[in-house]
Amino acid sequence: MKKLINKADDVTAEQLHGLGLAHLDIEVHHDPAFVSVVGGAKDRVAVISGGGSGHEPLHGGFVGMGMLDAACPGQVFTSPTPDQMYAAAKEVAGEKGVLQIVKNYTGDVLNFQMAADMLRDDGISMRNIIIDDDVALKDSLYTAGRRGLGTTIIAEKVCGAAAREGYDLDQMAALCRKVNLYGKSMGVALTSCTTPQNGKPSFELGADEIEIGIGIHGEPGVERIKIKTADEVTEILADHIFEDEAYTRKLSEWDSAKGDWVDSEVTDITFSSGDEAIAIVNGMGGTPVSELYTVYAKLAEIAGRHGVKIIRNLVGNYITSLEMAGCSLTLVKVDDEILRLYDAPVNTPALRWGV
Amino acid sequence: MKKLINKADDVTAEQLHGLGLAHLDIEVHHDPAFVSVVGGAKDRVAVISGGGSGHEPLHGGFVGMGMLDAACPGQVFTSPTPDQMYAAAKEVAGEKGVLQIVKNYTGDVLNFQMAADMLRDDGISMRNIIIDDDVALKDSLYTAGRRGLGTTIIAEKVCGAAAREGYDLDQMAALCRKVNLYGKSMGVALTSCTTPQNGKPSFELGADEIEIGIGIHGEPGVERIKIKTADEVTEILADHIFEDEAYTRKLSEWDSAKGDWVDSEVTDITFSSGDEAIAIVNGMGGTPVSELYTVYAKLAEIAGRHGVKIIRNLVGNYITSLEMAGCSLTLVKVDDEILRLYDAPVNTPALRWGV
């Protein structure tokens, strides 16, 4: 294992320390660990997310003006604990409450739920919305239902902007749910990755093999195939996204107004001709951005073939798996509301425009 | 070799194609290949750079409002040809002429000089300024004198802003020379990298070895040592930067006013207590940004020990070596002029703020 780290047990704390030093408008807290915007979100709905480390810049790199108010990082590939979300909410939330954006991994979902229960006792309103946009699998190693992938980034961006526009908690929850249902993602791994704790690759992949539909913790995907060209790989991933049928599932959402957990039945979209979309061509950490642009060119061509126009894009490392080589594609359909909020100013370590 | 590419011979053209599709305010030209801002730079001094591909986002990712007007990419790790710079200048330049920012690699320097000669015959004023900020070595495999590294990015940013402020060509040349003399860089490789053409690692590095002072083409550095902690590696790199003595050398600059090449004798700075600086903690392509923040924390501590205050920073992949793991540190001393121009709005694929 060759990494720029000190002690395997300290990697998350040390990275957060550097993040806080580099970006003076975000604050890093330890014990419990979370990252928050200086000044909190007292005058608006607070937006909080989190999850295992190892996916940077997600989520700490998206804390800042116009996006997340706080992020709770677990250890590498490990869910954060409820006390982290609880402390983060106590730090940043005001009377307008908290929207928790939660990627659909079993540990994350349970721990964010426990945090919501703790916050209820403190009288802090909370809604939590699950992101489950990965079209690869319906169930997997770490997840009941679909996993959360790149749509999370768009949800965080759009909801952060909505909070600044004065959306209330119900409106924020509805918006976040809509973004999730408008987004579909699919990834591929060219190599494995190594957690500092284990020191060995999380899984084995042959020298000429790639894994389609990989999870961000290296959990198994849809199929393992021989390496193909960038165009062929992009076709495979994009086909899964464009051919994915509307998917109806129950998602458990905490609803402060009802004072209880509610199973909401939701159905996502399928892409159809005339749609406009935001595309993310996301690197898994070890793939050069130059290769991602080759993938983007093919994705844009395929989208055009389906009558879908990509009107905004992010090409780079946004939701990674340590130093894994590979990429994931995300397409999120946009309407006027999503586009307006996406284009609003943002100032975070990993996304910045308009300021 | 596992890469998201199609044909090894087409990688540069295909990546540029994707870049142009993703960013509608930049145009991609083929035969000869270059990237330019839509609308050119007719009303201001044009800023042009270029070099081998494989270092993305450098340089194509820095084309756009407030930074480069054009970039000329060679094949992977190969200098661009003079006809590329010539065509780029013809495309974007107006009466105020062209500043060429050239990293100090022998092939790049010669070919940018040939382009200057061709442009002279067309009556286009040109100044070329060499960036040679890598403190690792005085001479190396691809270079007479020091190599060009991360200071190039700050030079491109600052000069792009200066052009929009109305600087004339002489002022631009003086500014670019100053930035070069205010900047020092040093890198480390944890792994090798593989060019698409060769299909095999450019050099061998043992499973527990790292190379200090590596070049961006994998050319040899200062020493090969056993892997150390992030803190120790950062200390080694930073020591080279902070202990580097003022270095006097002759740089060949084309001067339109004199109608000839002039060997300018220049001396760079040493950092001293009270200095303010921009820091880049640059990933070589295959190192997660999380590790770079661990490095940043240590760099900030070391800089503080020397009385140098880092007042701006970039932490991420900016000047890479394909999928190489490792990083380079760049420190550029700032004065009021450099800081004002650095903070000015920029809108490029890889750097964006203020718009």
Side-chain angles (χ1 to χ4, degrees):
Chain A
M1 178 176 65
K2 276 177 169 181
K3 291 177 184 289
L4 290 167
I5 61 172
N6 292 304
K7 275 173 59 187
D9 288 345
D10 298 340
V11 291
T12 299
E14 292 197 336
Q15 294 158 5
L16 292 178
H17 177 56
L19 188 75
L21 288 176
H23 303 283
L24 299 181
D25 44 358
I26 65 181
E27 254 175 315
V28 174
H29 310 257
H30 298 281
D31 297 320
F34 66 95
V35 179
S36 66
V37 288
V38 171
K42 305 295 178 195
D43 60 339
R44 61 184 185 271
V45 176
V47 185
I48 298 181
S49 190
S53 294
H55 310 301
E56 289 73 17
L58 189 85
H59 296 273
F62 298 129
V63 173
M65 194 284 288
M67 209 159 165
L68 294 179
D69 294 301
C72 305
Q75 294 299 312
V76 174
F77 293 177
T78 305
S79 295
T81 52
D83 61 313
Q84 293 177 259
M85 288 74 110
Y86 176 76
K90 295 289 279 185
E91 172 76 17
V92 300
E95 291 186 357
K96 299 198 169 176
V98 177
L99 176 74
Q100 289 188 158
I101 301 177
V102 185
K103 298 193 306 300
N104 193 34
Y105 297 94
T106 304
D108 290 18
V109 170
L110 287 176
N111 290 352
F112 273 97
Q113 285 184 341
M114 286 175 65
D117 287 337
M118 293 159 70
L119 288 166
R120 173 176 47 186
D121 298 338
D122 283 30
I124 295 180
S125 304
M126 215 278 304
R127 297 289 293 267
N128 76 327
I129 298 295
I130 307 288
I131 306 293
D132 65 339
D133 63 316
D134 184 345
V135 302
L137 295 167
K138 292 282 193 290
D139 289 293
S140 63
L141 196 57
Y142 292 95
T143 324
R146 286 184 165 174
R147 302 173 297 205
L149 241 175
T151 300
T152 312
I153 296 155
I154 308 303
E156 293 178 359
K157 170 68 188 79
V158 163
C159 290
R164 293 193 168 256
E165 279 197 3
Y167 277 47
D168 69 21
L169 191 51
D170 283 345
Q171 292 171 314
M172 295 276 287
L175 170 68
C176 191
R177 193 187 301 114
K178 179 171 77 172
V179 171
N180 183 42
L181 298 177
Y182 278 21
K184 292 178 191 281
S185 298
M186 179 94 180
V188 60
L190 273 61
T191 67
S192 186
C193 60
T194 300
T195 65
Q197 282 80 3
N198 283 347
K200 283 180 289 196
S202 295
F203 60 101
E204 296 295 332
L205 201 52
D208 60 348
E209 281 181 330
I210 63 176
E211 180 138 350
I212 302 289
I214 193 84
I216 54 173
H217 313 97
E219 62 270 37
V222 174
E223 56 174 341
R224 195 168 277 209
I225 60 174
K226 297 287 176 194
I227 177 86
K228 292 179 182 287
T229 67
D231 283 356
E232 289 167 332
V233 171
T234 308
E235 289 272 11
I236 292 169
L237 300 182
D239 280 356
H240 277 269
I241 289 173
F242 283 109
E243 289 167 14
D244 186 57
E245 301 197 348
Y247 169 45
T248 299
R249 68 276 200 184
K250 285 187 176 146
L251 291 178
S252 185
E253 296 181 7
W254 169 255
D255 186 334
S256 284
K258 297 187 177 134
D260 205 353
W261 294 96
V262 179
D263 274 351
S264 300
E265 190 170 272
V266 295
T267 303
D268 67 358
I269 64 150
T270 54
F271 287 99
S272 55
S273 186
D275 284 347
E276 295 184 318
I278 301 168
I280 306 177
V281 176
N282 170 65
M284 302 297 270
T287 282
V289 67
S290 50
E291 295 178 26
L292 302 179
Y293 276 112
T294 297
V295 171
Y296 180 81
K298 190 67 185 176
L299 175 63
E301 179 202 315
I302 297 167
R305 206 192 298 153
H306 288 271
V308 174
K309 189 172 179 192
I310 299 173
I311 57 171
R312 298 289 183 277
N313 65 79
L314 295 173
V315 180
N317 294 326
Y318 294 102
I319 171 171
T320 62
S321 299
L322 296 167
E323 72 289 342
M324 183 187 285
C327 73
S328 63
L329 307 185
T330 295
L331 272 188
V332 180
K333 175 179 164 169
V334 298
D335 56 17
D336 290 346
E337 181 188 39
I338 293 174
L339 187 60
R340 180 189 77 242
L341 295 166
Y342 181 80
D343 283 343
V346 62
N347 189 4
T348 70
L351 275 194
R352 182 176 174 189
W353 55 72
V355 288
Chain B
M1 178 176 64
K2 276 176 169 180
K3 291 177 185 288
L4 290 167
I5 61 173
N6 292 304
K7 275 172 59 187
D9 288 344
D10 297 341
V11 290
T12 299
E14 292 197 336
Q15 294 159 3
L16 292 178
H17 177 55
L19 188 76
L21 288 175
H23 304 282
L24 299 180
D25 43 359
I26 65 181
E27 255 176 314
V28 174
H29 309 258
H30 298 282
D31 297 319
F34 66 96
V35 179
S36 64
V37 286
V38 171
K42 305 296 178 195
D43 60 340
R44 61 183 184 272
V45 175
V47 185
I48 298 181
S49 190
S53 293
H55 310 301
E56 289 74 17
L58 189 85
H59 296 272
F62 298 128
V63 173
M65 194 284 288
M67 209 160 166
L68 294 179
D69 295 299
C72 306
Q75 295 299 312
V76 175
F77 292 178
T78 305
S79 295
T81 51
D83 62 313
Q84 293 177 259
M85 288 76 111
Y86 176 77
K90 295 290 279 184
E91 173 75 16
V92 300
E95 291 186 355
K96 299 201 170 174
V98 178
L99 176 74
Q100 288 188 157
I101 300 177
V102 186
K103 298 194 304 302
N104 194 33
Y105 296 94
T106 305
D108 290 18
V109 171
L110 287 176
N111 289 351
F112 272 96
Q113 284 184 341
M114 286 175 66
D117 287 336
M118 293 160 71
L119 288 166
R120 173 177 45 185
D121 298 339
D122 282 30
I124 295 180
S125 305
M126 214 277 304
R127 297 289 293 266
N128 76 329
I129 299 293
I130 306 290
I131 306 293
D132 64 340
D133 63 317
D134 184 345
V135 301
L137 295 168
K138 292 281 192 290
D139 289 293
S140 64
L141 195 58
Y142 292 94
T143 324
R146 285 183 165 174
R147 302 171 298 206
L149 242 176
T151 300
T152 313
I153 296 155
I154 308 303
E156 293 177 358
K157 170 68 188 78
V158 163
C159 290
R164 294 194 168 255
E165 279 197 4
Y167 278 46
D168 69 22
L169 190 51
D170 284 344
Q171 293 171 315
M172 296 275 288
L175 170 67
C176 191
R177 193 187 301 116
K178 178 172 78 172
V179 171
N180 182 42
L181 299 178
Y182 277 22
K184 292 177 191 282
S185 297
M186 179 94 181
V188 60
L190 272 61
T191 67
S192 186
C193 60
T194 299
T195 65
Q197 282 79 2
N198 283 347
K200 283 180 290 196
S202 296
F203 60 101
E204 296 295 332
L205 201 52
D208 60 350
E209 281 182 331
I210 64 176
E211 180 140 348
I212 302 288
I214 194 82
I216 54 173
H217 312 97
E219 62 270 37
V222 174
E223 55 173 343
R224 195 167 276 210
I225 60 174
K226 297 289 175 193
I227 177 85
K228 293 179 182 288
T229 67
D231 283 355
E232 289 167 332
V233 171
T234 307
E235 288 272 10
I236 293 169
L237 300 182
D239 280 356
H240 277 270
I241 289 173
F242 283 109
E243 289 167 14
D244 186 57
E245 300 198 350
Y247 169 45
T248 299
R249 66 276 200 186
K250 285 186 177 147
L251 291 178
S252 185
E253 295 181 8
W254 169 254
D255 186 333
S256 283
K258 297 189 177 132
D260 205 353
W261 293 96
V262 178
D263 274 352
S264 300
E265 190 171 272
V266 296
T267 304
D268 67 359
I269 63 150
T270 54
F271 287 100
S272 54
S273 186
D275 284 348
E276 294 185 318
I278 302 168
I280 307 177
V281 176
N282 169 66
M284 301 298 270
T287 282
V289 69
S290 50
E291 296 178 26
L292 302 180
Y293 276 113
T294 296
V295 171
Y296 180 80
K298 190 66 185 177
L299 174 63
E301 181 203 313
I302 297 167
R305 206 192 298 154
H306 287 272
V308 174
K309 190 171 178 193
I310 299 173
I311 57 172
R312 298 290 184 276
N313 66 78
L314 296 172
V315 180
N317 295 325
Y318 295 100
I319 171 171
T320 62
S321 298
L322 297 166
E323 71 290 341
M324 182 186 287
C327 73
S328 61
L329 308 185
T330 295
L331 273 188
V332 179
K333 176 179 163 170
V334 298
D335 55 17
D336 290 347
E337 181 188 39
I338 293 174
L339 187 60
R340 180 189 78 243
L341 294 166
Y342 181 81
D343 283 342
V346 62
N347 190 3
T348 70
L351 275 194
R352 181 176 174 189
W353 55 72
V355 288

